[in-house]
Amino acid sequence: MGPWPRVKGAMSRVIHVFRQPDRFVAGTVGEPGDRTFYLQASEDVRTISVTIEKQQVVVLAERLSSLLEEVASRFGADVPDDAPDELLDVDPLTVPVEEEFRVGTMGLGWDADSSAVVIELLAMTEGEVDETVVLDDTEEGPDAVRVFLTPGAARAFAERADRVVNAGRKPCPLCAEPLDPAGHICPRQNGYRRDVDVLED
């Protein structure tokens, strides 16, 4: 074991563990319509960034909120209804943003001993990921980032994630598709969608 909490197995699998992260946030790099989404975890002087799809951010925020409701009702955990103001992080991603890996599989759990939500992000692989490796220290499997969050910090993460996702291109008032700065062909206005560029005479 090195100076940082990480699990390394015989197959060189690395699990980056953040038990008391200083921050865990969703953020983007790039302009609306051409944004790359990241999740970034920091603890002390260590920062890890992983690339993630926009839809995965949406799903993670939704499932995190559902998990918090469940642990509040099933285990009587102290879960705030809203993100505490002091935990809301509006700062940009820490730079430089260097991709550790692209997220393939995600896992969520509840650690009753520490009353913390556990989020695990596993690197994308070519084959199917055996579900038994999620939230497990098995030696074989994709690299991972495992983050422990208090219920309040989890609420704050989900709220920021929603803001980041919705900070992209504004939706068209007619068709709800994203509006591009260069223009927008609205299927509601034209009656059909054109998927090819129109050649001008």
Side-chain angles (χ1 to χ4, degrees):
M1 291 284 282
W4 301 110
R6 44 195 259 166
V7 180
K8 189 164 184 176
M11 299 297 289
S12 297
R13 182 187 193 207
V14 177
I15 303 175
H16 303 274
V17 182
F18 293 81
R19 289 201 172 271
Q20 294 182 311
D22 298 314
R23 75 188 304 225
F24 178 60
V25 294
T28 60
V29 173
E31 296 300 317
D34 190 29
R35 298 187 297 168
T36 302
F37 285 76
Y38 291 90
L39 295 183
Q40 192 175 74
S42 301
E43 188 173 337
D44 296 327
V45 298
R46 178 179 55 139
T47 297
I48 297 283
S49 304
V50 294
T51 312
I52 189 167
E53 295 296 325
K54 178 180 179 179
Q55 192 55 37
Q56 289 176 299
V57 178
V58 172
V59 169
L60 180 57
E62 288 174 352
R63 295 198 177 160
L64 202 48
S65 296
S66 297
L67 177 68
L68 288 171
E69 302 304 330
E70 185 178 344
V71 298
S73 62
R74 283 183 56 191
F75 303 109
D78 184 15
V79 176
D81 292 331
D82 298 301
D85 289 341
E86 67 274 12
L87 295 180
L88 286 174
D89 187 332
V90 295
D91 293 330
L93 295 172
T94 302
V95 293
V97 181
E98 298 174 349
E99 177 189 309
E100 185 74 15
F101 57 76
R102 180 172 289 277
V103 175
T105 304
M106 300 183 293
L108 273 181
W110 174 252
D111 182 33
D113 293 338
S114 59
S115 296
V117 173
V118 187
I119 299 172
E120 185 150 295
L121 311 162
L122 287 83
M124 184 176 284
T125 58
E126 290 183 7
E128 289 286 320
V129 173
D130 186 339
E131 288 186 10
T132 60
V133 307
V134 181
L135 298 172
D136 197 305
D137 293 340
T138 179
E139 292 181 353
E140 294 186 29
D143 289 354
V145 171
R146 185 179 299 159
V147 182
F148 291 73
L149 297 177
T150 64
R155 280 268 191 243
F157 169 85
E159 185 167 320
R160 174 178 169 130
D162 286 339
R163 288 182 187 177
V164 167
V165 166
N166 294 319
R169 294 172 291 172
K170 299 296 182 198
C172 170
L174 296 175
C175 70
E177 290 291 321
L179 288 169
D180 285 315
H184 170 69
I185 300 172
C186 180
R188 293 284 300 276
Q189 205 167 35
N190 295 302
Y192 64 96
R193 175 182 295 283
R194 280 182 279 188
D195 292 320
V196 295
D197 292 329
V198 177
L199 296 176
E200 294 182 358
D201 293 331

